[in-house]
Amino acid sequence: MTALSDARTSRWAVLTALVTTSVVLTACGSGGGDSGSGAGQPTSGGTLTFAVGSDAGCVDPQQVASNETIYSVRQIVDSLTDQDPKTGTIVPWLAKSWDVSSDATTFTFHLRSDVTFSDGSKLTAQVVKDNFDAVPKLGALGTLAEGYLSGVKSTTVVDPLTVKVTFSQPNAQFLQATSTHSLGIESSASVKRTPQQKCSDGVIGSGPFVLKQYVQNQSITLAKRTGYAWGSSQWSKKGEAYLDKLVFKVVPEAGVRAGSLQSGQVDAISSVGKANEAALKGGQVTLQRRANPGVVFGLGLNNARPALKDTRVRQAIVSAIDRQQIADTVFPTGTRAATSVLAQTTPDYTSLASDLTSDAAKAKALLDLSGWKMGSDGIRTKDGKKLSLTVKWFPNASTNQPALELIQQQLKAVGVEVVLKQLQVTQFAPTLQSGDFDAVWGNVTRADPDILRSSFSTKLANFYHLPASSLDTALSEQAATVDAAKRRQLVTQVQQSLVRNAYYVPVVELQTQLGVAKKVHDVNFDASSRIQLHDTWIG
Amino acid sequence: MRRYVIKRLGQAVGVLWAAYTVSFLVLDYLPGDPVTAMASAGMDSGQVDPQQIAALRHEYGFDKPVLVQYAEYLGRAVRGDFGDSVSTGRPVTSALADALPQTLQLTGAALLLAVVLGGALAVLATYTAQRWLRQLLLSLPPLGVSVPTFWVGLLLVETFSFRLHWFPAFGNDGFKGLVLPALTLAVPTGAQIAQVLAKSLLTALDQAYVETARAKGAGRWRVHLRHALRNAALPALTVVGLLVGQLIAGSVVVETVFSRDGLGRVTAAAVTAQDIPLVQGVVVFGALIFVMTNLVIDLVYPLFDPRLVVASGRKAALA
C-alpha cells in the first residue's frame, strides 16, 4: 500500500521537480549532516508533526505491513525484546531475560513485573499467551505476525511472569520476531476484539505513546503515555518519552510533502525520493538514511525455466548487470549496490562483492560456453530459440521501472532480451503462486537472515523453483542453531551458495530515506529501518 | 408536470442500475480480487500462504459464481445496504457519509467560484469594445480547460503555501484549507462555463430583440445583462449540470494533491485495493448526485425562461 502512492506520484515527479526548482534557487546554506542528534540539551514537551505518504486503513500493529503506518502504530506497543540496529543483537524490553532450548524449539521469557497497559491492566504471562494464541487466527490479515509464529505448538503460562512458547520444529528466527512491531503485545481487552475492530478503533498497548485519534486517510494522533517506565534497554532516555504529542498526517503527493517540510508546515516526512532530494538539501532539513535489512532488490528467477536451469546462463545475467550504475542513476543518494542476497544491515550479512562485479566480457563468455550464439538482431539463440526473459514487475515503488529499463539495456548488451511486463500490485501473490514468470522484481524487508529460508528453501513455498540441494540443509540448520557464531557460519554458506549458483540476481539495497527538520533530534532508526520516537525531542 | 417528474425519476433509477452493473462488470473483469489485493499489499514483507488466501476469499464470498455475487450485492444495495468495505471492515454507507460533507464543501465552493469567475469572464469578454482585450479574454478558457488539474494544484501550493505561507498545503481544516483546492477545481470548470456562455452571448447579441432593445434606448449594460444574458444563460445552465459530474471526478485528483479527506480519496483508495463493495458504493452515490443535479436543473429552466413549459422537456426548450 505504501508503495502504491509512490507509483501514483511518480508521473508527477518531473513536474514537481520543475515546480520546486524555485525552492532550490532560493535555498541557502550547505548540506546537512547525517543525523540531527547532538546539539544542545534534550528538552521535554512539544508536538512532532510527521507527514507520511499513505494510510494502510488499519491501526493495529499486528496487522499492518506498510512502513508508512508502522511508523506511528509501532509507538503504541512494546515488544518482548528489542534489536540493536548496529549489531543485530536481541536485547531486553518487556522481557528481562529469556532462555532458548538448544534445538531452538522452546523459548521461555521472563517478564518485567512493573508493566501496565494504558487501560490500567497489568502485563502478565497470560496476556502474552492471549496475544500469541490470537495471532495465528489473523491469517492473511496479519501475514507478518502469523508467519513469525508459524509452526507454533503451544504457548503456556509457567508462572504469572514466565511464558513458554513451543514450536513443532526448530525456529531460531522467533527470538528476533519477538522484537518486531508485528508481535507487539496488546492488552487482553484488545486481543479479544475482532481484527476489523482493532483495525478501525486501534488497540491498547503498553507503549510510550497512546492512540488518541485515527481519521482514516487523514491523520493518526498519539499522546505521550504518562508514567511510562519500561522502555527498551536500547533507548537512551529512561522513563517517559520527551514529546507530548505525535501527529502523523497523510500527504500522498511527494512534492507536497517536501514543500511542507521545507516551509515548516511539518517537522518530518517519509519516503524522500531522488526527485525531491535537491529541494530539501541545505536549509533547515536533514536527510536520514538507512538500508532496509532483508533480501535486496533483484530478479527472482524462475529456476525451472529451460534456459534458466543452466547455471552459466544465470551467472551470465549476474555478471552482465552493472549494479553501481543502477544505484547511482535511479535510487536515492546513498543507495548501495547489492553485495550479497542480504542487505548490509541484516544480521549475519557477508560481503560477496567480488562475486557481484560487473563484467560484460565474462557474461558473454559464459553464454558462448553454454551454446547461446549471437543472432543477427543482437539477441542470442540456441536450437532456434531466442534467449528472452519476461520480467514481471509491480508498480509498488517509483524506482522499479527505471531500474528495470537499465537492466534491460545492460542485458541487451550481452545478447539477452528482456521483456518487461507490468502487472497490478494486486497480482503479486497470484503471480508467485502460479509460477508463471521468468523473473519477478522485488525485495523483502526482515532483520533476520531466516528470510532466506522463507524465500529459497525448497521445503517451503519455493516460489523461485530452486532445485533441491545442500542449500536446503544449510537453511534448515541455521533455523535450528542458537549459537551465534555457528549460525553466522551457516548463513554465510547460504549466501555464497545463492550468489555463486545465481539462483537470485541481487541488484540494489532498498534504502529508507526520511527528511527531518534540523530542530528535531534523535529520530532513530530501529533494526528494521523503521523509527522509534521515544528518544526524539525538539529544541 | 407530475408525469414528467415520475418519468425522469424512472430514468434516474435506470441510470443508477446501469452505473452499478457496469462498475461491477469492470471490477470483475480486472485480474485479482480484494483478497489477492490484500495479500499483495505488503509485498516487500514476504509471501502469503495460498491456503490462507483461499480461506479469506471464502469468508468474503469471492469464491461464489459471478452472477450469484452480483445478485446478492444488488439485492442488498436495493435495500440501501452496500455491505462492508473489504479493506477496512467499515460499512460502506458510513464511509461515504463521513467523506461526503468534505467533498460537498469542496465541489460546492468550486462550482460557486467557477460560475462567478467563468460568468464574469464571459460577460466581460463579450462586453468590451477593445478587440485585443476581447481576444485575450476569450483565449483564457481554452487554456484553463487544457492545463492538467494536478499541475494547477501544485503551482498554487508552491506559490501560496510554500512561499507566501497564506494557506496550508494539506488537510481539511476550515475555510483556509478550502481556498486552494476549490480554486484548483474551479479552473477547468469555470473555463468551460466561460466558453459556452461567451459563445451563446455572442449569438444572442446578434439577435433581433437586442436591436429592438437598443432602439428603445436601453443602455449597453442593460442590453447585455438583462436581455442577452438571460437568453444566453440556458446552454450554460445545461453545462453546469454536466460539470457536476466532472467536479466529482476532479475531486479524486484535487483531494490527493491537497491531502483532503473526501469521496475522491475514498475512490482512489478503493480502486487501488479493488475494494468492490466500496467502489460500488462510490459509483452509485456519484451517479445519484449527478442524476439529482440534472433533474433539479431541468426543473429550474422555467425560472430563467417563462416561455418554457417543463413538460416539453429540455430538448424542446433548446430547439
Side-chain angles (χ1 to χ4, degrees):
Chain A
M1 276 183 223
T2 313
L4 273 179
S5 66
D6 287 346
R8 200 165 46 222
T9 53
S10 67
R11 64 204 148 103
W12 301 351
V14 176
L15 278 162
T16 315
L18 283 175
V19 172
T20 45
T21 313
S22 46
V23 178
V24 186
L25 292 174
T26 50
C28 55
S30 58
D34 256 18
S35 162
S37 59
Q41 274 296 310
T43 46
S44 286
T47 299
L48 178 80
T49 310
F50 198 122
V52 293
S54 65
D55 174 28
C58 182
V59 280
D60 176 14
Q62 292 180 351
Q63 295 181 61
V64 171
S66 154
N67 276 336
E68 306 257 24
T69 306
I70 294 170
Y71 292 160
S72 48
V73 298
R74 159 84 277 195
Q75 320 300 328
I76 303 170
V77 289
D78 294 328
S79 301
L80 290 180
T81 63
D82 200 1
Q83 189 176 16
D84 184 335
K86 288 196 188 72
T87 61
T89 316
I90 304 301
V91 297
W93 194 347
L94 291 181
K96 288 182 298 189
S97 63
W98 50 87
D99 314 299
V100 183
S101 68
S102 57
D103 61 350
T105 55
T106 309
F107 299 76
T108 310
F109 297 92
H110 306 282
L111 305 175
R112 290 180 66 127
S113 57
D114 57 346
V115 181
T116 59
F117 293 93
S118 58
D119 62 359
S121 61
K122 277 180 81 79
L123 172 77
T124 60
Q126 184 62 42
V127 178
V128 176
K129 175 178 161 56
D130 291 346
N131 273 269
F132 289 173
D133 285 350
V135 158
K137 293 180 194 141
L138 289 172
L141 295 173
T143 49
L144 284 178
E146 194 270 347
Y148 298 155
L149 273 166
S150 88
V152 68
K153 208 155 79 184
S154 65
T155 304
T156 42
V157 174
V158 178
D159 68 48
L161 290 175
T162 309
V163 63
K164 189 169 83 177
V165 188
T166 313
F167 290 88
S168 46
Q169 270 168 354
N171 196 9
Q173 62 85 28
F174 181 66
L175 190 59
Q176 188 276 337
T178 60
S179 76
T180 64
H181 72 280
S182 304
L183 293 185
I185 304 298
E186 300 171 357
S187 76
S188 284
S190 282
V191 170
K192 287 193 188 100
R193 310 193 71 192
T194 67
Q196 284 80 9
Q197 284 172 333
K198 293 206 292 174
C199 258
S200 52
D201 305 341
V203 298
I204 303 289
S206 62
F209 292 90
V210 181
L211 180 69
K212 279 287 158 208
Q213 199 193 16
Y214 170 45
V215 186
Q216 214 179 14
N217 272 331
Q218 204 61 42
S219 63
I220 296 174
T221 308
L222 310 176
K224 171 158 75 180
R225 167 87 191 272
T226 47
Y228 183 83
W230 42 87
S232 156
S233 54
Q234 193 62 37
W235 299 347
S236 55
K237 183 182 192 295
K238 300 290 163 225
E240 295 175 2
Y242 286 116
L243 295 165
D244 289 336
K245 210 169 140 190
L246 305 174
V247 182
F248 290 83
K249 294 271 187 191
V250 182
V251 179
E253 224 312 281
V256 175
R257 278 203 300 280
S260 300
L261 176 60
Q262 191 76 16
S263 61
Q265 298 182 48
V266 299
D267 304 311
I269 59 172
S270 70
S271 308
V272 178
K274 205 175 179 67
N276 294 111
E277 281 176 9
L280 291 172
K281 259 175 202 147
Q284 291 306 304
V285 176
T286 306
L287 292 177
Q288 274 183 238
R289 333 179 146 115
R290 187 173 192 269
N292 280 35
V295 177
V296 296
F297 262 119
L299 297 174
L301 301 177
N302 183 343
N303 289 275
R305 289 284 201 246
L308 294 173
K309 270 185 180 165
D310 186 339
T311 309
R312 286 168 301 193
V313 172
R314 299 195 305 266
Q315 286 168 336
I317 294 171
V318 167
S319 295
I321 291 174
D322 183 349
R323 292 164 185 77
Q324 198 58 49
Q325 188 193 21
I326 296 168
D328 291 347
T329 33
V330 177
F331 288 85
T333 305
T335 300
R336 297 194 201 97
T339 45
S340 171
V341 186
L342 293 176
Q344 302 191 28
T345 43
T346 326
D348 298 339
Y349 148 89
T350 311
S351 174
L352 299 169
S354 55
D355 291 291
L356 291 169
T357 49
S358 161
D359 189 343
K362 184 179 160 196
K364 285 178 189 163
L366 280 165
L367 290 169
D368 286 338
L369 212 63
S370 62
W372 290 94
K373 297 278 171 272
M374 192 61 103
S376 55
D377 57 350
I379 304 298
R380 287 169 190 270
T381 54
K382 183 169 149 182
D383 306 330
K385 278 198 172 159
K386 279 212 286 188
L387 186 48
S388 176
L389 295 180
T390 302
V391 178
K392 294 195 172 168
W393 64 281
F394 308 86
N396 69 329
S398 59
T399 42
N400 289 354
Q401 188 167 7
L404 284 167
E405 282 168 355
L406 258 178
I407 289 174
Q408 194 176 30
Q409 286 173 27
Q410 292 170 355
L411 287 177
K412 176 86 181 19
V414 299
V416 180
E417 181 184 53
V418 170
V419 180
L420 297 180
K421 187 153 186 221
Q422 180 182 350
L423 298 178
Q424 291 300 312
V425 174
T426 54
Q427 286 303 98
F428 175 66
T431 302
L432 281 185
Q433 276 163 35
S434 69
D436 180 21
F437 60 91
D438 294 335
V440 288
W441 174 254
N443 80 301
V444 192
T445 295
R446 175 80 202 269
D448 189 274
D450 190 63
I451 190 61
L452 294 174
R453 187 171 61 100
S454 347
S455 303
F456 301 110
S457 171
T458 66
K459 292 174 183 166
L460 299 172
N462 195 17
F463 288 127
Y464 302 115
H465 302 274
L466 271 64
S469 70
S470 61
L471 176 65
D472 294 324
T473 325
L475 283 168
S476 303
E477 269 180 44
Q478 66 77 30
T481 305
V482 179
D483 180 75
K486 209 176 146 216
R487 191 172 183 218
R488 168 177 287 270
Q489 201 189 337
L490 286 162
V491 172
T492 302
Q493 203 183 314
V494 167
Q495 291 171 77
Q496 284 167 345
S497 167
L498 283 166
V499 168
R500 292 181 184 154
N501 286 302
Y503 291 128
Y504 183 84
V505 184
V507 179
V508 293
E509 298 184 351
L510 169 65
Q511 178 182 261
T512 294
Q513 180 162 265
L514 308 175
V516 181
K518 286 235 167 85
K519 62 172 185 179
V520 180
H521 307 270
D522 293 317
V523 174
N524 294 327
F525 284 116
D526 66 16
S528 303
S529 298
R530 292 157 190 147
I531 48 173
Q532 71 83 2
L533 297 170
H534 174 268
D535 289 348
T536 307
W537 54 283
I538 297 178
Chain B
M1 175 77 186
R2 185 184 291 163
R3 259 190 69 192
Y4 173 70
V5 173
I6 288 172
K7 196 176 135 207
R8 287 302 309 268
L9 284 176
Q11 284 172 352
V13 171
V15 168
L16 291 181
W17 172 79
Y20 188 88
T21 306
V22 169
S23 63
F24 184 89
L25 291 177
V26 169
L27 285 168
D28 182 66
Y29 180 73
L30 285 178
D33 59 38
V35 174
T36 55
M38 257 195 276
S40 305
M43 63 172 273
D44 85 330
S45 25
Q47 295 91 19
V48 186
D49 183 352
Q51 280 176 355
Q52 288 175 1
I53 295 183
L56 206 60
R57 186 173 286 144
H58 180 72
E59 194 185 320
Y60 283 104
F62 294 123
D63 53 350
K64 291 182 188 163
V66 183
L67 276 176
V68 175
Q69 286 185 49
Y70 174 76
E72 280 183 9
Y73 279 134
L74 189 62
R76 271 182 292 159
V78 168
R79 281 170 273 144
D81 175 13
F82 285 86
D84 294 343
S85 154
V86 178
S87 46
T88 64
R90 286 186 62 199
V92 168
T93 38
S94 82
L96 294 182
D98 281 358
L100 183 68
Q102 318 292 345
T103 303
L104 280 187
Q105 253 181 34
L106 173 66
T107 48
L111 189 61
L112 190 70
L113 273 174
V115 169
V116 170
L117 297 178
L121 182 66
V123 169
L124 275 180
T126 49
Y127 181 78
T128 181
Q130 304 286 339
R131 215 183 141 73
W132 67 269
L133 184 60
R134 172 174 296 193
Q135 286 304 323
L136 179 75
L137 290 177
L138 286 179
S139 67
L140 288 178
L143 187 70
V145 174
S146 52
V147 290
T149 309
F150 64 81
W151 185 75
V152 174
L154 288 177
L155 210 63
L156 289 175
V157 167
E158 172 66 27
T159 314
F160 295 104
S161 180
F162 299 161
R163 280 163 158 259
L164 298 172
H165 302 272
W166 290 357
F167 301 104
F170 55 82
N172 288 53
D173 308 329
F175 176 74
K176 268 192 148 184
L178 188 61
V179 175
L180 295 181
L183 198 58
T184 308
L185 197 52
V187 168
T189 319
Q192 286 180 59
I193 293 175
Q195 254 178 333
V196 172
L197 188 59
K199 190 154 180 278
S200 52
L201 264 174
L202 288 174
T203 316
L205 286 167
D206 276 344
Q207 298 294 316
Y209 62 81
V210 170
E211 284 297 316
T212 315
R214 285 205 187 111
K216 283 165 102 177
R220 272 193 79 206
W221 268 120
R222 190 178 161 78
V223 169
H224 211 87
L225 296 180
R226 180 116 192 110
H227 296 272
L229 182 61
R230 200 149 171 190
N231 282 286
L234 280 180
L237 194 63
T238 310
V239 168
V240 167
L242 300 174
L243 287 177
V244 167
Q246 200 179 306
L247 281 171
I248 296 172
S251 70
V252 175
V253 171
V254 171
E255 287 177 356
T256 304
V257 171
F258 290 95
S259 321
R260 284 180 64 86
D261 201 11
L263 280 184
R265 281 288 285 291
V266 169
T267 311
V271 171
T272 310
Q274 287 194 21
D275 192 337
I276 294 174
L278 194 51
V279 175
Q280 295 280 80
V282 167
V283 168
V284 171
F285 206 66
L288 187 67
I289 295 175
F290 186 71
V291 166
M292 298 284 281
T293 318
N294 282 283
L295 186 61
V296 168
I297 284 181
D298 277 358
L299 295 177
V300 299
Y301 276 128
L303 298 182
F304 282 78
D305 192 339
R307 287 170 304 178
L308 295 175
V309 182
V310 163
S312 64
R314 190 190 301 181
K315 276 192 194 112
L318 295 178

